[in-house]
Amino acid sequence: MRPQNLNCVSIVLIAASLCHSVHSQLQVGFYTTSCTLAELIVKDEVRKGFFKNPGVAAGLVRLHFHDCFVRGCDASVLIDSTSSNKAEKDSPANNPSLRGFEVIDSAKARLEAVCRGVVSCADIVAFAARDSIEITRGLGYIVPAGRRDGRISQASDTFTNLPPPSFNVDQLSKLFANKGFTQEEMVTLSGAHTIGRSHSTAFSNRLYNFNRTSRQDPSLDPQYAAQLKQQCPQGNTSPNLVVLMNPASPAVTDTSYYADILANRGLFTSDQTLLTNSATANQVNQNAKMPFLWRTKFATAMVKMGRLEVLTGNAGEIQANCRVINS
């Protein structure tokens, strides 16, 4: 069977499985009659954002992850802080690293112009993440919709719900398990680090201040460490100093991330730690060797993530502006 046919078969299989496994209150084609062009409008805004800056695709995937892991997929990560409340987007886990907000804003403005009060910000985030994976040559998947937007966004909620780059494999497994994911799904979703960038502050301790006995993380490839030191000089805390997560193909959703880990070139402790456990190490090896299988598993795991603690029906609201709770 030819590769393109395999892609089609996989998408069909994923779609078929969704009919049985999707959360009963979310529906594929949710906006078919209420806002026919909803998904196409979001896709168009993602495309325009990507051609301006290819890195925005990784930002939108991360935006979805950081939204869903805190209070569920309710777009609370988009809400701006006020004088009386510090919102999720301004927590250390999200600021200044989260990006892609302008793409969501543009899509929402267009949707409000043609279907006022119909399409939720939470669904826009979910669609945009899928479209970002597709535009970076990942496997497409169907996004069931019908999410509604949350009215609560607190920076403090990010502290226990989002994994820092310093987590080890046991800490990662526990956090993902708390969200309903298996250890294999955790390894699969970690592959999102195949695209995008990181601020040097997220990994500089591995270069200069690892522990009491070693200034540099001994699990880090020395040549790679030397390269990172050139890019991130000791003591530099500039928010503009960033490096590519996967230098070989930073704008392609592929399995280079896993190849990097096998070469001891995982950028974060939370990446390289996947080799310290026999089960996760086997999954890293499998994903590196079987890219199509990983892409299929990743698409399925993204659909599952998009169902985390969703608000549907009369819960939540449909925000007119994704940055502001309706008055």
Side-chain angles (χ1 to χ4, degrees):
M1 185 177 290
R2 295 164 64 186
Q4 57 264 41
N5 291 335
L6 281 173
N7 283 342
C8 293
V9 169
S10 177
I11 293 172
V12 169
L13 289 175
I14 292 173
S17 68
L18 292 179
C19 294
H20 299 286
S21 65
V22 75
H23 194 290
S24 60
Q25 292 178 302
L26 296 181
Q27 300 173 26
V28 173
F30 184 81
Y31 297 108
T32 299
T33 56
S34 61
C35 192
T36 307
L37 298 178
E39 294 193 45
L40 290 177
I41 287 173
V42 176
K43 189 183 292 289
D44 186 53
E45 289 303 319
V46 170
R47 180 189 61 81
K48 289 192 291 187
F50 180 78
F51 286 124
K52 287 180 183 177
N53 175 12
V56 79
L60 290 166
V61 174
R62 188 164 180 261
L63 198 66
H64 187 37
F65 173 84
H66 281 227
D67 181 37
C68 292
F69 266 53
V70 181
R71 290 188 173 272
C73 308
D74 65 348
S76 56
V77 74
L78 305 177
I79 296 172
D80 284 343
S81 295
T82 65
S83 58
S84 60
N85 179 64
K86 186 176 181 180
E88 291 173 31
K89 67 179 0 174
D90 288 320
S91 76
N94 292 331
N95 187 6
S97 59
L98 275 192
R99 53 183 173 155
F101 296 105
E102 71 285 353
V103 174
I104 305 299
D105 288 340
S106 296
K108 181 60 173 176
R110 286 181 61 184
L111 288 166
E112 285 297 297
V114 296
C115 309
R116 186 174 181 179
V118 173
V119 184
S120 70
C121 299
D123 279 342
I124 295 172
V125 171
F127 293 148
R130 182 268 313 277
D131 298 337
S132 295
I133 291 166
E134 285 186 343
I135 205 169
T136 54
R137 293 189 267 170
L139 188 65
Y141 56 91
I142 295 171
V143 176
R147 300 166 188 80
R148 289 171 66 87
D149 303 323
R151 297 177 56 85
I152 300 172
S153 180
Q154 298 174 337
S156 57
D157 286 336
T158 66
F159 300 153
T160 56
N161 287 291
L162 295 175
S166 59
F167 261 19
N168 62 37
V169 69
D170 291 333
Q171 291 169 315
L172 287 170
S173 299
K174 183 178 180 180
L175 187 145
F176 274 76
N178 288 340
K179 301 297 180 182
F181 291 101
T182 66
Q183 190 177 65
E184 182 176 3
E185 288 170 331
M186 179 271 288
V187 177
T188 297
L189 287 170
S190 295
H193 284 174
T194 191
I195 54 176
R197 66 187 190 184
S198 168
H199 288 78
S200 62
T201 51
F203 60 85
S204 60
N205 69 299
R206 300 186 69 200
L207 303 176
Y208 303 111
N209 188 32
F210 184 62
N211 58 32
R212 292 180 179 178
T213 60
S214 178
R215 287 175 57 83
Q216 182 174 301
D217 186 345
S219 72
L220 195 59
D221 173 67
Q223 186 176 353
Y224 184 48
Q227 175 186 326
L228 291 174
K229 286 179 178 179
Q230 287 186 331
Q231 295 174 286
C232 298
Q234 187 172 12
N236 192 312
T237 58
S238 169
N240 299 318
L241 193 61
V242 296
V243 302
L244 298 174
M245 292 292 298
N246 173 220
S249 52
V252 181
T253 296
D254 59 17
T255 55
S256 295
Y257 165 79
Y258 298 103
D260 280 345
I261 292 175
L262 292 173
N264 293 321
R265 289 176 171 240
L267 186 60
F268 297 156
T269 296
S270 58
D271 296 320
Q272 200 59 48
T273 191
L274 298 181
L275 287 189
T276 64
N277 172 287
S278 60
T280 58
N282 285 338
Q283 290 152 18
V284 168
N285 270 286
Q286 181 188 68
N287 291 339
K289 294 175 182 178
M290 306 178 72
F292 182 73
L293 175 62
W294 171 75
R295 291 166 72 208
T296 304
K297 292 192 300 181
F298 184 73
T300 302
M302 287 293 291
V303 174
K304 180 176 178 178
M305 187 176 74
R307 299 199 297 268
L308 285 178
E309 303 175 59
V310 293
L311 300 173
T312 59
N314 294 322
E317 62 186 21
I318 304 297
Q319 290 164 354
N321 178 341
C322 295
R323 295 175 179 265
V324 182
I325 297 166
N326 290 345
S327 57

